[in-house]
Amino acid sequence: MTKEVSVYGQGVLPPDLTSAVLLIDKPKRWSSFDVVRQLRRMLPVRKIGHAGTLDPMATGLLICLVGRATRRMEAFMHLPKTYEGVMQLGAMTPSYDAETPVSRYADWRHLSADDIRRAKQRFVGTIQQQPPMYSAVKVKGERLYKKARRGEFIERRHNTVHVYEFSITGWDGADVAFTVRCSKGTYIRALVHDMGQVLGVGAHLTRLRRTAIGEYHVRDAWAVHVLADALDTQQAS
């Protein structure tokens, strides 16, 4: 379905700025909506959405749909997503990532490479996953992260997700690098947290970059400031 839609990456501006699909490389510390907000300042249309949220800590590919192109949102939302990340063993945080302070430490030094490989194999295929308390999931009309910030903890419904590939790409001290290709709705920080529980030492996500959504790759994406400069140049010519 996405083949029927023109997608514009770095170096190519859409001929119609009121209906386009743009590949954007989201910067660290920006929310996905920060990107949308910036695009609304740059483009002559306010109806802009994105096909798959990235946490502020994460960087990487965000597919943004502008104007009439938002009608094709679902075609992009259901594409598999690929990530590169780093987990830190032996340190747990309430948010499952580096956005909150470490709440508990454990000794990880007894673990072997085989232990890591066996643990990650349990998370390949169709799995059940519980969203983090620090997430935007709504329960009784309120975002979970708001409850978490008040110190509340509630049981969350497990979701069925699919992990197509999960590879360990490096190991340096407590830091384990990995790549994951997974379905829509997968929380990578929950995956890391759950793997830490299986290993018995805990873990949290310290770095995450989305490198691909389906056939679309972050290497082809616009940096926000580069897109802004290109649009300014186009308007001035």
Side-chain angles (χ1 to χ4, degrees), residues 198-219:
V198 167
L199 289 166
V201 300
H204 74 282
L205 185 67
T206 59
R207 188 162 70 246
L208 187 67
R209 181 163 177 78
R210 185 156 67 198
T211 57
I213 299 175
E215 67 195 86
Y216 306 105
H217 201 280
V218 70
R219 63 174 169 261

Side-chain angles (χ1 to χ4, degrees), residues 9 38 92 132 136 179 194 219:
Q38 188 65 25
M92 287 149 281
T179 61
D194 293 347
R219 63 174 169 261

Side-chain angles (χ1 to χ4, degrees), residues 160-232:
T160 301
V161 298
H162 194 90
V163 177
Y164 303 100
E165 299 174 21
F166 187 1
S167 301
I168 303 301
T169 58
W171 188 6
D172 182 13
D175 294 332
V176 177
F178 62 90
T179 61
V180 170
R181 183 171 175 267
C182 56
S183 67
K184 169 190 173 183
T186 306
Y187 281 92
I188 305 301
R189 53 197 168 102
L191 190 70
V192 165
H193 170 81
D194 293 347
M195 183 167 163
Q197 296 302 298
V198 167
L199 289 166
V201 300
H204 74 282
L205 185 67
T206 59
R207 188 162 70 246
L208 187 67
R209 181 163 177 78
R210 185 156 67 198
T211 57
I213 299 175
E215 67 195 86
Y216 306 105
H217 201 280
V218 70
R219 63 174 169 261
D220 301 317
W222 285 97
V224 176
H225 71 279
V226 174
L227 176 60
D229 289 345
L231 290 169
D232 286 346

Side-chain angles (χ1 to χ4, degrees), residues 24-204:
I24 303 293
D25 187 351
K26 187 189 85 65
K28 191 173 183 177
R29 300 298 174 196
W30 286 38
S31 70
S32 298
F33 187 70
D34 286 337
V35 174
V36 170
R37 186 183 294 113
Q38 188 65 25
L39 290 177
R40 285 175 177 168
R41 294 172 181 157
M42 295 156 52
L43 300 171
V45 61
R46 288 195 55 80
K47 189 176 182 181
I48 300 174
H50 60 79
T53 301
L54 278 173
D55 289 335
M57 188 192 86
T59 66
L61 185 59
L62 199 67
I63 296 181
C64 294
L65 298 96
V66 180
R68 295 186 304 278
T70 56
R71 300 170 186 169
R72 304 305 302 275
M73 184 79 71
E74 285 302 310
F76 293 93
M77 288 287 288
H78 286 90
L79 293 175
K81 297 169 176 63
T82 305
Y83 299 88
E84 295 176 355
V86 176
M87 69 179 84
Q88 183 180 329
L89 300 174
M92 287 149 281
T93 73
S95 61
Y96 302 170
D97 63 14
E99 292 292 336
T100 54
V102 173
S103 57
R104 189 160 70 89
Y105 289 97
D107 188 4
W108 55 269
R109 290 170 294 179
H110 60 283
L111 295 174
S112 68
D114 283 342
D115 293 328
I116 303 295
R117 282 192 289 268
R118 282 194 296 267
K120 66 95 176 173
Q121 277 304 119
R122 295 180 58 170
F123 299 97
V124 177
T126 301
I127 63 172
Q128 296 294 307
Q129 189 180 73
Q130 188 180 59
M133 274 299 301
Y134 281 82
S135 68
V137 173
K138 279 188 176 182
V139 175
K140 296 182 179 179
E142 185 177 36
R143 304 286 186 187
L144 280 177
Y145 65 79
K146 293 185 177 180
K147 296 180 184 293
R149 289 171 182 168
R150 295 197 300 266
E152 298 178 23
F153 178 90
I154 64 170
E155 288 298 322
R156 284 90 70 203
R157 185 175 64 186
H158 284 73
N159 298 319
T160 301
V161 298
H162 194 90
V163 177
Y164 303 100
E165 299 174 21
F166 187 1
S167 301
I168 303 301
T169 58
W171 188 6
D172 182 13
D175 294 332
V176 177
F178 62 90
T179 61
V180 170
R181 183 171 175 267
C182 56
S183 67
K184 169 190 173 183
T186 306
Y187 281 92
I188 305 301
R189 53 197 168 102
L191 190 70
V192 165
H193 170 81
D194 293 347
M195 183 167 163
Q197 296 302 298
V198 167
L199 289 166
V201 300
H204 74 282

